[in-house]
Amino acid sequence: MNEMTKVSAALSDPAVREQIEDLLCAYSHAIDDGLIEQWPSFFTEDCVYHITTRETHEAGLPIGILRCVGRGMMLDRVKAFHTANIFEPHSYNHVLGRSAVAVGGAPGTYACRTSFHLIRIMQDGRSDLFATGKYLDTVAFVNGAAKFKERIVVLDSRQVDILLVMPI
């Protein structure tokens, strides 16, 4: 049993777990349904969203594939999605594992680890396993609603075969 599992077992409030799981599902559904405008609303104002590889993450290196600090940077990414990025139309379908939820390092926060598979569906109907990995999240409650304070997306592979225009 690792430390996350030990602390997770100690988390006894099922309502907290349910709200966090609802956040994870709503986030994935919004991305899968192409509702990218909703993406920043899942985060706190002072959030961090970071996509990196397992290799880089395990080495403790700060470099990654994409990093947004604050909701403003996320709003810029949404604007670029609609106005600046040129890419072959596609959509995603997330498959999430059950989350491990633990009391976070800062008061009032929770740490979550969720494995994912991400299938990419191209305009011609072709489906490919696009990415696998884990979400390492810090969740805080803002006005009673669960929000991501930090979302680190750790990809199992360092190979990303297409311009990353949509959040993972």
Side-chain angles (χ1 to χ4, degrees):
M1 191 180 268
N2 65 30
E3 289 303 310
M4 182 76 172
T5 306
K6 288 178 190 173
V7 178
S8 178
L11 184 63
S12 61
D13 187 349
V16 169
R17 171 178 273 290
E18 184 176 343
Q19 285 183 278
I20 291 170
E21 288 175 345
D22 286 349
L23 171 67
L24 294 165
C25 286
Y27 173 94
S28 296
H29 292 165
I31 301 301
D32 292 352
D33 292 343
L35 304 174
I36 192 167
E37 294 78 15
Q38 292 180 8
W39 176 53
S41 70
F42 293 101
F43 293 82
T44 63
E45 287 291 334
D46 61 343
C47 65
V48 173
Y49 177 78
H50 184 72
I51 301 174
T52 190
T53 65
R54 179 191 305 209
E55 182 178 53
T56 301
H57 181 72
E58 288 176 355
L61 299 173
I63 215 154
I65 297 168
L66 176 92
R67 184 173 182 87
C68 294
V69 179
R71 202 184 285 168
M73 287 182 80
M74 298 173 95
L75 291 168
D76 286 346
R77 291 283 307 176
V78 170
K79 185 175 181 181
F81 174 83
H82 289 297
T83 60
N85 293 333
I86 299 171
F87 59 95
E88 184 177 356
H90 61 279
S91 60
Y92 289 155
N93 186 294
H94 285 79
V95 179
L96 303 177
R98 189 168 194 274
S99 300
V101 180
V103 175
T109 65
Y110 296 87
C112 306
R113 181 199 186 280
T114 309
S115 298
F116 70 87
H117 289 155
L118 186 61
I119 295 122
R120 180 183 64 199
I121 302 93
M122 303 308 290
Q123 188 174 19
D124 67 3
R126 187 181 78 247
S127 296
D128 298 305
L129 182 60
F130 178 64
T132 65
K134 61 186 172 187
Y135 293 121
L136 301 175
D137 298 318
T138 301
V139 175
F141 283 81
V142 178
N143 298 323
K147 302 275 184 183
F148 296 114
K149 184 163 185 58
E150 180 178 64
R151 172 156 261 205
I152 301 173
V153 182
V154 181
L155 302 174
D156 289 331
S157 174
R158 61 182 161 180
Q159 181 179 358
V160 177
D161 70 346
I162 192 170
L163 175 67
L164 214 71
V165 295
M166 294 193 307
I168 290 178

